[in-house]
Amino acid sequence: MRKISSVLICVVTAGFASGASAQEIDWKKVDEALGRTAAVSGDVHRYGFPRTDLQVTLDGVTIRPTLALGGWAAFKPMHGGAMVMGDLVLLETEINPVMAKLIENGLEVTAVHNHVLRSSPLPFYMHIGGHGDPVKLATAIRTALAESKTPLTPPAPPATPPAIDLDTAQLDQIIGVKGQANGGVYQFAVPRRDPVTENGMQLTPPGPTGVATAIGFQPTGGGKAAITGDFVLTGEEVNPVIKALRENGIEVTAVHSHMLTEQPRLIFMHFWANDDAVKLAKGLRAALDKTASAKS
């Protein structure tokens, strides 16, 4: 969901340690293959595939795509092409058709699981990875998504962005990083203190490549917010974070891997609550204090 932002996140099976120049890739052709324009951060081109076709409700909250339904794929140049990592949001009936097309076209599936509980309908999340010619990778992803009802054309931006009826300055102060509004959700990306690598290649920037803790606040009225996202953890951090979240009224909804060969080995912990936004931010901060997160 990182996601949240999306949320939500993802992986690579890259076999090369040295990066290629982003200028060597014809990004316009990648855009054309995916039918949308990338958000560019450093040398990473990230494409969003929000499930704007779904009306997902959880505990009476209609989840915005930017809170937990934002599928994505991120391309990072490397020697001989690009590596791609991503997280596709699918319904149960879409999993096998999409997986078949991914495998047929040379991509890898690195995880399939839930991020939330009790929602109707219940979305699943398929993490993918691969390396090679970026246009071929992009074409393979679009071909696979065509097996689902994921909208293949980007949604038109609203005339007026949805308001964030929360004290965002206070949330920034508590979480310790600057958040940003995105589609009616206030999102944070909290990187880890130490770098994360895949086959010797550093996954940077950490947010766009899915290795930063993602937190989203969706206002639900009266100073309350629904929160979800995922903590990016090493093994020894998992249970201290579980305890900190539960002690602060935040439900842990999934604990699992997203990637296959990253270093250090990472575990992703998803969460959910709908309560006073400041109270929840303090609970999230208590959990972040149990991790090796970068200081602002």
Side-chain angles (χ1 to χ4, degrees), residues 79-97:
H79 183 68
M83 65 182 186
V84 65
M85 59 215 79
D87 181 11
L88 310 180
V89 183
L90 303 171
L91 296 178
E92 183 177 5
T93 55
E94 298 170 339
I95 292 172
N96 280 308

Side-chain angles (χ1 to χ4, degrees), residues 142-165:
R142 186 176 175 120
T143 299
L145 284 174
E147 297 296 313
S148 72
K149 292 185 179 179
T150 303
L152 295 180
T153 56
T160 303
I164 304 292
D165 185 22

Side-chain angles (χ1 to χ4, degrees), residues 1-3 7-12 72 86-87 109-115 125-129 210-211 230-232 254-262 265-270:
M1 299 168 285
R2 280 319 273 358
K3 127 319 260 13
V7 160
L8 328 278
I9 333 183
C10 39
V11 103
V12 196
W72 58 274
D87 181 11
V109 175
T110 61
V112 179
H113 47 228
N114 67 293
H115 288 178
Y125 300 80
M126 182 180 294
H127 298 269
I128 62 171
V211 290
D230 56 352
F231 280 76
V232 183
V255 180
H256 47 226
S257 62
H258 287 179
M259 298 179 277
L260 298 177
T261 60
E262 77 285 356
R265 186 72 172 125
L266 298 176
I267 304 297
F268 294 77
M269 183 183 299
H270 300 265

